[in-house]
Every structure is written in structure tokens, then in C-alpha cells.
Amino acid sequence: MDWHVLQLVLWLIAGIVSFYFSIGNARVWTSIAVGFGLIVIGELLPQAIPYLPGVGVPRIEAMSYIVGTISILVMSHGFQEYYVFSRTLEFEGNKGMVYLSTIGVIAASVVFVFVNPLPDKRTLDIIRVVENTNWVFLSLINIDLIRKIYANIKDSPISKGFIAFIVVFLFIFLWRGSELYIQVYHFTDPEVGMAFPFRFQLSQICSEVGNFLAGVSVGGTFLYLARLLR
Amino acid sequence: MILLPRGNPVKENIDPGKVNLPDALMKLHKGNFTGYLRFDTTQGVGILIYDKGRLISALFEGGTRREIAYDAIALIFERSLAGGATLNIYRLSSELAMSIHALLHGEVLYRGQEVKLLDIRALLGKLKEDQITGCLRIYTADRVALIFYREGNPLGFFHDGSTDLEKTAENSMSVAKLPGAKIDVLTSKISEEAAMADLLASADTVAIWQKAQEAVARERRAREEEAARTLEEREKERRQKIVGLLKGVAEKHLGKIGGQLADKEFDKALNGQGVVSEAVLDDFYKRIGQAAKLVAGPSTVKAMLEDMQRGIKALLKA
């Protein structure tokens, strides 16, 4: 099986599992699950571009990167909410608002992309860099936040699920960090790649392996959470 | 305990708390009453002695406390208003009233001597020899008789139902023959009628009555407050036990955060109410059930709620 196809299958499973999880569980999980679920759109959209007739391809690609950015923002917001809950034991809001807000932000992004000039390669590269930067730094912040959440709810039934999330974000950091590295140092250019073959190879491997492991761990984590929250 | 024969009853078993005592005392004054009023209260016995409408003596004895005159009147008023008191009014002759007054303010030479173990003859001889003025009080649990002496010579006898000093010893001595009869020897100092002041003339009984009413109201308030405090403390203790149980169960199922959640949700459910009612508990179960979903699954939450309900049921039954 093709490596990318396997990655897509894994992300598809992870996305479905996390969306399903967001429906059946407490409100506090909605943002986190929706955030992870959105990754699948960010991952699938670029692959689906050739099969989407009548739509300006660069705009679809731009949207996939933006949805990717929205996904890490939404899940980080979810972890922040959980952290606040674990500290104050207070929790507000409802699931509907999370879904509506996320759809609203995505819709606003679509409007933004369509009212602006058709993105060229440079624009797309920048949007991609912005997306990966968000992922890299928010992954690190989330790892610290999840560590604190774990400390607060250490002996609860769900606590081990948060250790799994730390593992997830470590893989995501590896995946998105190596992609950011590739973009920043322009390893997408074969000439640069040939000039630094080891770095090029290593960053490519890290990106692919990170992507694969992140996909596996996200799906696995939500299945594990579902088991813990039976 | 003041032991006096009952005299000729005018009124018996009245609740003095329901009587305006200053008015009643004034009526007795106006009616030239001679006799005594006996107040049996929860904290002692009060005696008011009238002679021809003059309140010549007031005494209150209870435990180690002994009050006379105005203080005794005040205490009689207070204890009457406090409730649980009985008032008996007995008519006596003037001589007997004075004798009783002298007796109540006299001294006890011997107390509680068993009649059976006593050489009565020798005792009477001793009284004569010492020229004692006073009386012999012979009593059992429910009967009392007095034999008055002046300078060693017997004056007369006073027993239940008498209004005057009697000259026959029959009734009085029959008390001495009863099983368990005891004898006290008392001396009296005061006997001059002229020296007896009318307490009603010098005391403002209405003011004393009002003061007593205030004191009793204060006492009642304090008692009610104390009762409320006790109730509150009991409820607080019960509340703490309930919270302790709920926290313990929540911690068992959800870990440390479970205990914290139980504490917080209980406070919210209680919402400042002092009493943990069924409604409060139902609200708590609902709240903790929702909060617990953030850290545990439905089966764990269900098991926790069942444990809580079982525990509370057992606790409230105990």
C-alpha cells in the first residue's frame, strides 16, 4: 500500500473516531475532538483537489491549510478549557456553540479566501508556514498544558488518556516541526536537497514518520479514551 | 425543700405563670388575708406569708440558694413566669402565720433525725431545759406536722388541714408513727408582730413583676437561641457527615478531583440552605453526575451515584 494512502486512511479513521467521540461525550471534549477531527479535512482536501471540479485549485489548497490552522486552535482552546476545569471545577457552554463557532470560523475563512486574489505559490507557501508554525508552537504549549491537567486529575479514570495526548502531540511536533523545517530551509527545492542530503533525508523521514505516528496515535488515543469513558 | 403543713386550702394547684401575681397579691392584701402562698417551682420553693392582709414574709429556697424579702418576691415571680410552677394558697390563723414566719427565718438545730431512733422524751426534756423557742417538725414524704414551743413550753400543734394552733397532739403525733418519719428541731428568733413590716407597702411589686417578665423573656430567648444553636450544630454535624461520605465515594470512583467536585457541587446544591433535604441531595446527584462525566464514563458515574445513594440511605437511617 502507498505510504500516503496509508496515512490518509489513518487520518480518516482518527477523524471519524474523534468526531464520533465529540458527539457522545461531555461538552469539554467537544473542542478537543472537533479540533482533531478537522485535521482530516486539512489532510484530505489537498489530496482530493484533482477530483474537485469547477473550484479554483489554489483556493482549495489555501482552505486546507487554513482549516489545519483552525483545527490546532480549536483543540488548543479545548485543552485550555479542560485545564481551567481541572483547576476551578467550573465549566460552561454547550456543544452546539462549539460546532457553530467552528463552522462560522471556517465559513469566514472561505469568504476571506474567495474575496481575495487567487493565491499564488508564494501565498500558499506562507499560509502553509503559518499553519505549521501554529502547530509546532501550540503542540509544545499543549504538551505543557496536558502535563498540568494530568497532575490535577492524576488518579481519575480519564487521567491516562492525557498521557496518550502528550504522546500524540510529541508525534505532531515531530511531523509539523520537520515540515516547517523543510519549508523554512527550502528543502522542497531539489537543488537545496542535493546540497544537504542528510538533512533533507532526515527531515523527510521525520515528517512522514511523524505524520504516520500522529495519525495512528490520534485514532488510538480516542479509542482508548472511549474505552476509559465507557 | 420547705416543709410546711398544708393548712386550710383556699386554692390549690394553680399555675402562677397564668396569674397576674401583683394583682393577686394586692387582692389578698385588700381581703385581709392571713395564711401563706406556696410556690413549688422547678428551681425551688417560694413562700409568701400574709398576716391580716400584710405580706410579712417572703422566702425562696432552692438548692443552695436562699432569698428573702424583695429578692424572694422577684425570684418567685421569675420562676412562676418561667413555667412548670404550682401555687397553693392556705388560710391560717394570725398566730400560726406568725409562727410559721418565725420558723422559716429561724435556725435548724437538728435535721432529719429518724423518729424511731430518737428518745423523744429526752428531746422534749432538753427543749424545756434549754428553754427553746421554736418548733419540732415531724414529717414523712407526704405529711408534715409542727409542734411549736415558746421557751421550752409547747404552744400548740399544726398539721395538714389546720387553720389554727391546735391543742391536741393526736394528728401531729400520728405523723411520728408513720414509717420513715423524721424530725427537725428549729429555733425561731422573730416573734413580735409589731416588728413585721408589710412588704407590699415598701415593694413596687408591679415593677418587680415587669422586671421578672423581662428576665424570663430574656431567659426564654436565650434558651431558644441555645436550642436553635444546638439544632444548627447538629445539622452542621449531619451535613459534615453527609459531605464526608459523598466526598469519600467520589474520591473512590473519580480520584482526588472527585472529592473536590463532590465538595463544590454539594455547596451549589445546598445553596445556603441549612438543612440537607431530599431535594438538595437530588440536585447534588444531578450535578455531580454531570460534572463526573468530564473525568469518567457513564458506567463509573452510575456506580458512583449508586454507592452515594446507598451510603446516604444507611447514614440517614443510623
Side-chain angles (χ1 to χ4, degrees), chain A residues 135-202:
Chain A
W135 273 98
V136 168
F137 292 104
L138 286 176
S139 291
L140 291 175
I141 288 167
N142 284 343
I143 287 170
D144 184 50
L145 206 58
I146 293 165
R147 180 187 63 79
K148 287 175 181 166
I149 292 170
Y150 175 74
N152 291 337
I153 62 159
K154 206 168 0 186
D155 46 1
S156 72
I158 196 72
S159 60
K160 287 193 177 71
F162 282 91
I163 295 178
F165 274 125
I166 289 180
V167 175
V168 165
F169 278 106
L170 283 173
F171 292 144
I172 287 175
F173 174 75
L174 184 70
W175 165 35
R176 294 293 182 153
S178 46
E179 276 201 11
L180 185 63
Y181 178 76
I182 289 166
Q183 284 158 352
V184 169
Y185 286 96
H186 206 48
F187 282 122
T188 43
D189 183 343
E191 281 182 23
V192 181
M194 276 164 64
F196 302 97
F198 175 72
R199 290 171 198 213
F200 173 72
Q201 286 294 326
L202 183 66

Side-chain angles (χ1 to χ4, degrees), chain B residues 267-282:
Chain B
D267 276 352
K268 282 185 189 168
L270 199 60
N271 194 24
Q273 297 171 64
V275 181
V276 186
S277 61
E278 279 291 320
V280 167
L281 285 172
D282 287 345

Side-chain angles (χ1 to χ4, degrees), chain A residues 82 85 88 90 155-156 229-230, chain B residues 254 256 264 294 297-299:
Chain A
Y82 205 106
F85 158 72
T88 65
E90 292 288 349
D155 46 1
S156 72
L229 292 178
R230 257 195 314 218
Chain B
L254 309 177
K256 193 180 77 186
K264 186 146 190 159
L294 301 175
S299 59

Side-chain angles (χ1 to χ4, degrees), chain B residues 47-77:
Chain B
I47 302 285
L48 297 178
I49 303 173
Y50 274 81
D51 179 37
K52 295 170 197 152
R54 291 181 308 140
L55 178 60
I56 57 165
S57 177
L59 172 73
F60 187 94
E61 266 187 23
T64 54
R65 196 170 185 189
R66 182 183 162 91
E67 302 289 352
I68 57 165
Y70 309 122
D71 292 340
I73 294 173
L75 209 48
I76 286 169
F77 284 179

